[in-house]
Amino acid sequence: MVSTDPARPSSPEPPLRRAAGEKGLKTGALGLASSVVIGLASTAPAYSLAATLGIIVAGVGLQSPIVMVLAFVPMFLIAYGYKELNEDNPDCGTTFTWGSRTFGPMTGWMGGWAIIVADVVVMANLAQIAGQYGFQLVGAHGLAEDTFWTTFAGVVWIVLMTWICYVGIELSANLQKVLLTIEIVVLVALGLTALWKVYLGNAPDGSVHVAWSWFDPFEIDSVDALTKGVLAAVFIYWGWDTAVSINEETADSARTPGRAAVISTVLLLLIYVLISTSALSFAGAGDTGNGLANPDNSGDVLSSLGSSVFGSVGFGWFMAKLLVFMVLTSSAASTQTTILPTARTALSMAAHRAIPAKFARVHTRNQVPTWSTVGMGIASVAFYVAITRVSTNVLTDSIGSIGLAIAFYYGITGFACVWYHRRVLTRSRRDLLTKGIMPGLGGALLAYFFVDACYVYSDKDYGTTYWSLPFAPHWQLGGVFLTGIGALLLGAVLMLGYRFVAPSFFRGETLPRAVAPRDAVVEWVGTAGSPGTTGSAGSAGSTGSAGSGKSEGPSGPTAL
């Protein structure tokens, strides 16, 4: 049974649908394939490679493929944490919900805020890339270099993708299938054609045959170079968690999203290793000419490779143009899928009264978040326009800073998985491995990356801007570090302010802390001022099924 604290009055606020599947979203709309597609598209594989591969090669040279593999490890481990937590708590709030239930409301709130910050900031970069490549595709290179017109085109892309997300989750998924298919086909064609030309002897000067030493991390000159390489590579895997954030709209919401997340990370590994290996083999790691470490090409290595690999006449010309189009569709697709997790995180936060309740509204016909989706679009446009008016250098540094937010909320998720399942870790070897060791190690690695990134990003020579503290000791800190840490601190201030305005969530009344049960009993951790009690699964006030570990407290009196 569930007991309540008679000394605590019922909340005067109207009850909200909070449990998984009760928020008004369209349940069962997506299957495993659609979830995997959305998880892959959210990472923008083509754009991520175009913008990052040159930087990685400049740091670690021919060992770039092993850096891609090493960067995959923490992402795969965290993906398993998502999978295990989602099986017990399939809530679209993901890190927000799991962090709140495991470590308390303030940790969960900050995890949700980190998701929103990372997504809003990256939207500005994706929109800018979509605008630039749209002009390049039609040969308007002058407009592609004009800040006003690229900003205008980027805003149009954000508005268009926000509208698609507002229309419905199924339209979003169907569009992603088309865009991702083009992207993957062209990437695989690029990789295989490059290797084919290398081994036929038709590659340009500087090409080399693939060697096993490329997959030996001990060939890298220093630990510092290895760490910076992995730090740069680890975040190009970011985005697969979108497959879990749409869990309440997925068939078999407890299992399918987690499987999709794990599959997405593995597929990303295969894509990244293929392209990094083939591109290195074709162009080499030199810093001149076609070399991938050439600073003139580091901002977009794929476009510079296109005409060299495919040729500039006939079908080769078409494929080279298609490669430019693919980077455009990659950033556009990611623009759309970035809206999905942010809107659903805000929806869950509002449903549990962690932010204003208006963000919990769902369109009755489209069955998608209304205020959360539109609000994401408005916030992204406002940030993009404001930051480009200040300086494109500040925009560049803000993009670099999202690594801190990503490591922050991924790390929370990994540790939450371990602590939530702490009572069942000795139940079997599989539980110990997948609920304990793997997510715990992933969380530890992400915590290390967070600290290391703070150290690297704080260097005033890192990035394009730096700031001097207006007070002693007047340190000069990199703009990337200040932007990333500043965004998280802003969230902490907003959280403390909203705690005074609407304290019910922060008291644990709307999202009580919980632990995974050893058996079919759902156990609640008592909130402040209330003794902990135990209720059987499925009893009044709990929506958790027997043995699931899922539970929801009612509005008003606290479920214990």
Side-chain angles (χ1 to χ4, degrees):
M1 61 177 292
V2 176
S3 65
T4 61
D5 183 356
R8 179 171 293 162
S10 298
S11 170
E13 301 173 89
L16 293 172
R17 294 171 295 181
R18 293 191 295 267
E22 295 182 2
K23 299 183 183 72
L25 299 173
K26 189 172 185 178
T27 58
L30 306 174
L32 178 62
S34 296
S35 297
V36 171
V37 165
I38 289 177
L40 283 173
S42 296
T43 65
Y47 167 66
S48 296
L49 283 167
T52 309
L53 182 57
I55 298 173
I56 296 172
V57 172
V60 300
L62 294 174
Q63 279 64 51
S64 296
I66 188 58
V67 167
M68 294 292 186
V69 176
L70 294 176
F72 159 78
V73 173
M75 293 295 104
F76 180 73
L77 298 177
I78 292 297
Y80 250 93
Y82 270 79
K83 177 178 180 295
E84 296 299 329
L85 283 168
N86 184 77
E87 287 184 0
D88 280 355
N89 299 275
D91 188 288
C92 64
T94 60
T95 300
F96 158 73
T97 306
W98 303 330
S100 298
R101 287 188 167 180
T102 306
F103 299 125
M106 296 182 72
T107 301
W109 201 99
M110 286 301 298
W113 171 257
I115 294 175
I116 294 172
V117 163
D119 288 345
V120 169
V121 172
V122 80
M123 281 283 283
N125 182 245
L126 294 170
Q128 184 184 48
I129 295 301
Q132 289 176 343
Y133 274 82
F135 288 128
Q136 289 181 17
L137 188 64
V138 297
H141 298 288
L143 294 179
E145 297 176 0
D146 187 280
T147 301
F148 172 80
W149 285 109
T150 55
T151 302
F152 178 81
V155 169
V156 172
W157 275 111
I158 294 176
V159 172
L160 176 61
M161 294 304 162
T162 302
W163 176 79
I164 291 174
C165 291
Y166 189 86
V167 170
I169 187 68
E170 290 170 317
L171 176 61
S172 298
N174 290 333
L175 178 62
Q176 290 303 324
K177 289 177 183 178
V178 175
L179 297 179
L180 186 69
T181 299
I182 297 173
E183 187 173 352
I184 299 303
V185 167
V186 177
L187 277 177
V188 172
L190 176 70
L192 296 181
T193 304
L195 289 174
W196 178 262
K197 287 194 170 184
V198 168
Y199 283 90
L200 284 181
N202 295 329
D205 293 339
S207 63
V208 289
H209 286 194
V210 179
W212 283 113
S213 62
W214 296 9
F215 298 90
D216 184 0
F218 297 103
E219 293 286 335
I220 298 176
D221 293 337
S222 66
V223 174
D224 182 62
L226 173 63
T227 301
K228 289 182 178 179
V230 173
L231 185 63
V234 72
F235 298 119
I236 67 174
Y237 286 92
W238 171 56
W240 51 262
D241 51 299
T242 299
V244 186
S245 70
I246 55 174
N247 48 18
E248 296 189 39
E249 297 150 282
T250 306
D252 192 4
S253 62
R255 293 188 298 175
T256 297
R259 291 170 59 198
V262 173
I263 292 171
S264 296
T265 58
V266 174
L267 292 177
L268 285 170
L269 170 67
L270 297 177
I271 294 169
Y272 290 161
V273 170
L274 169 64
I275 299 303
S276 61
T277 303
S278 60
L280 267 176
S281 181
F282 184 86
D287 57 5
T288 58
N290 288 325
L292 295 184
N294 186 342
D296 294 334
N297 301 329
S298 62
D300 182 4
V301 296
L302 293 188
S303 293
S304 63
L305 280 174
S307 58
S308 298
V309 173
F310 292 125
S312 57
V313 295
F315 184 71
W317 173 89
F318 170 77
M319 289 298 293
K321 284 291 185 181
L322 191 59
L323 188 63
V324 175
F325 177 71
M326 176 202 62
V327 178
L328 166 63
T329 60
S330 177
S331 58
S334 188
T335 301
Q336 179 199 343
T337 52
T338 299
I339 297 170
L340 297 176
T342 314
R344 280 141 186 83
T345 298
L347 168 66
S348 183
M349 293 178 75
H352 292 98
R353 297 183 180 138
I355 60 176
K358 287 183 178 180
F359 289 97
R361 292 181 180 177
V362 174
H363 197 284
T364 54
R365 183 179 70 253
N366 299 342
Q367 295 180 287
V368 297
T370 53
W371 277 63
S372 296
T373 300
V374 175
M376 170 61 179
I378 294 174
S380 299
V381 168
F383 176 79
Y384 179 37
V385 172
I387 208 74
T388 51
R389 285 184 63 86
V390 173
S391 170
T392 54
N393 289 336
V394 176
L395 174 62
T396 301
D397 282 354
S398 67
I399 299 306
S401 72
I402 64 173
L404 295 176
I406 297 167
F408 183 79
Y409 81 82
Y410 274 174
I412 288 176
T413 306
F415 293 133
C417 184
V418 177
W419 194 243
Y420 176 79
H421 293 106
R422 63 188 182 276
R423 297 186 180 180
V424 301
L425 295 181
T426 57
R427 188 170 58 188
S428 68
R429 291 181 180 177
R430 181 190 180 281
D431 286 333
L432 178 61
L433 179 64
T434 61
K435 294 179 172 65
I437 295 175
M438 291 176 67
L441 180 57
L445 288 172
L446 266 298
Y448 168 76
F449 288 136
F450 181 87
V451 174
D452 186 67
C454 285
Y455 173 75
V456 173
Y457 296 169
S458 63
D459 188 338
K460 73 180 184 68
D461 295 324
Y462 187 90
T464 58
T465 63
Y466 70 90
W467 303 83
S468 298
L469 295 182
F471 48 83
H474 302 292
W475 288 332
Q476 293 180 327
L477 298 174
V480 176
F481 169 78
L482 288 178
T483 303
I485 293 298
L488 293 177
L489 291 177
L490 174 62
V493 172
L494 294 175
M495 176 186 66
L496 294 175
Y498 196 72
R499 182 178 184 178
F500 288 102
V501 175
S504 59
F505 165 75
F506 297 96
R507 292 173 180 166
E509 296 172 5
T510 62
L511 192 56
R513 295 178 64 180
V515 295
R518 291 191 181 93
D519 46 33
V521 175
V522 175
E523 300 188 23
W524 295 91
V525 177
T527 55
S530 303
T533 60
T534 304
S536 60
S539 59
S542 173
T543 60
S545 59
S548 70
K550 296 178 290 184
S551 49
E552 280 294 337
S555 168
T558 306
L560 303 173

